[in-house]
Amino acid sequence: MLCISMLILMMDSSFAQKTISINIQKKVKRDDVHVINRDIEKLSEPGHKGIRLDARYGDGIAWLKDFEFAEGIIEFDVRGKDLKQHSFVGIAFHGYDTLTYEAIYLRPFHFRTSELPYKNRAIQYIARPIYRWQDLREQFPGKYENLISPAPDPDVWIKVRIVLKGNIISTYINDNMEPSLVVESLGVLKKGSIGFFVADTSGGDFANLKITRK
């Protein structure tokens, strides 16, 4: 009976949490990606078959079509640039449209600076439309952005792992055991789309997207 109970528990866990690896290039080919304010192209490098979003004014998002996410884990690789004020790269989630979503993004140009307060602005959470980074920095200074330690190379691929559990969002960088940012969700939605995110004047590279839905 004990063995049967353990087997049932393992089966329940497998059904409760299933990790999906998403081939983003196939989705682009099948027109399963809705791109806002960016051009998208395929990117193929050893270990990284993904996409590149170009740089232009305004924020840009490449939404996965017909894909809903509420709670679980989002994992992906991202590459920005050590280009001051022109590299903001991350992921949007709980999205409804171009105005309503949450996002976690990186500022690679702040990774290795020793100058305060900029070193504490390497990673950022936002919740549009109410909470832009400017609003959060003014209302809750230091709460929704943080440094990344150890500091990554700003010009190489970076692993990002975002864990959404209840109202808490924890973000881990490059397999670090400790999260670089832990915040309470401020989003107006509890579920919605997922999309690759780049902010104003920024482009970025994305690959190896994995989703674990609770």
Side-chain angles (χ1 to χ4, degrees):
M1 290 296 293
L2 178 60
C3 292
I4 293 174
S5 298
M6 291 180 64
L7 179 60
I8 292 173
L9 180 61
M10 291 174 63
M11 291 175 63
D12 287 343
S13 298
S14 66
F15 281 113
Q17 293 192 350
K18 182 179 180 181
T19 299
I20 305 169
S21 294
I22 296 177
N23 189 324
I24 188 63
Q25 290 191 351
K26 284 187 177 180
K27 283 195 167 290
V28 171
K29 185 176 181 180
R30 295 171 182 170
D31 196 29
D32 287 337
V33 178
H34 181 48
V35 185
I36 306 297
N37 194 36
R38 288 297 186 275
D39 282 337
I40 188 171
E41 63 178 288
K42 294 181 181 179
L43 176 70
S44 294
E45 298 179 0
H48 294 92
K49 292 184 66 176
I51 60 169
R52 171 170 290 165
L53 299 178
D54 69 346
R56 61 180 66 184
Y57 288 107
D59 295 345
I61 305 179
W63 291 112
L64 302 183
K65 292 182 179 179
D66 302 319
F67 191 93
E68 189 173 78
F69 177 82
E71 188 174 348
I73 302 171
I74 305 171
E75 300 172 86
F76 63 101
D77 294 348
V78 63
R79 181 172 59 188
K81 295 180 179 180
D82 191 8
L83 187 61
K84 190 173 182 179
Q85 301 301 334
H86 295 288
S87 187
F88 310 88
V89 290
I91 201 94
F93 51 92
H94 295 168
Y96 176 72
D97 54 20
T98 57
L99 299 177
T100 305
Y101 57 86
E102 296 175 79
I104 297 284
Y105 65 88
L106 310 178
R107 298 185 180 99
F109 52 89
H110 283 334
F111 285 173
R112 292 187 169 178
T113 184
S114 58
E115 186 179 355
L116 291 174
Y118 303 110
K119 69 177 297 182
N120 295 324
R121 297 174 178 174
I123 183 171
Q124 175 79 52
Y125 166 85
I126 58 174
R128 302 293 301 268
I130 301 173
Y131 294 106
R132 305 169 302 161
W133 67 265
Q134 302 97 317
D135 305 310
L136 293 171
R137 187 175 293 172
E138 179 180 353
Q139 298 177 39
F140 312 99
K143 186 174 181 179
Y144 289 94
E145 56 188 344
N146 200 16
L147 57 79
I148 298 175
S149 181
D153 185 331
D155 290 309
V156 305
W157 287 101
I158 293 169
K159 293 181 179 181
V160 181
R161 182 173 180 262
I162 301 173
V163 180
L164 292 90
K165 186 175 182 180
N167 202 42
I168 302 300
I169 304 170
S170 304
T171 303
Y172 300 79
I173 303 297
N174 284 341
D175 298 322
N176 292 340
M177 297 300 294
E178 296 296 324
S180 295
L181 184 67
V182 180
V183 298
E184 294 183 21
S185 172
L186 298 174
V188 298
L189 301 176
K190 297 302 180 184
K191 62 181 179 181
S193 300
I194 287 177
F196 296 114
F197 172 85
V198 289
D200 184 37
T201 72
S202 175
D205 302 337
F206 302 88
N208 299 331
L209 177 63
K210 295 180 181 179
I211 306 295
T212 303
R213 289 188 283 199
K214 183 174 179 182

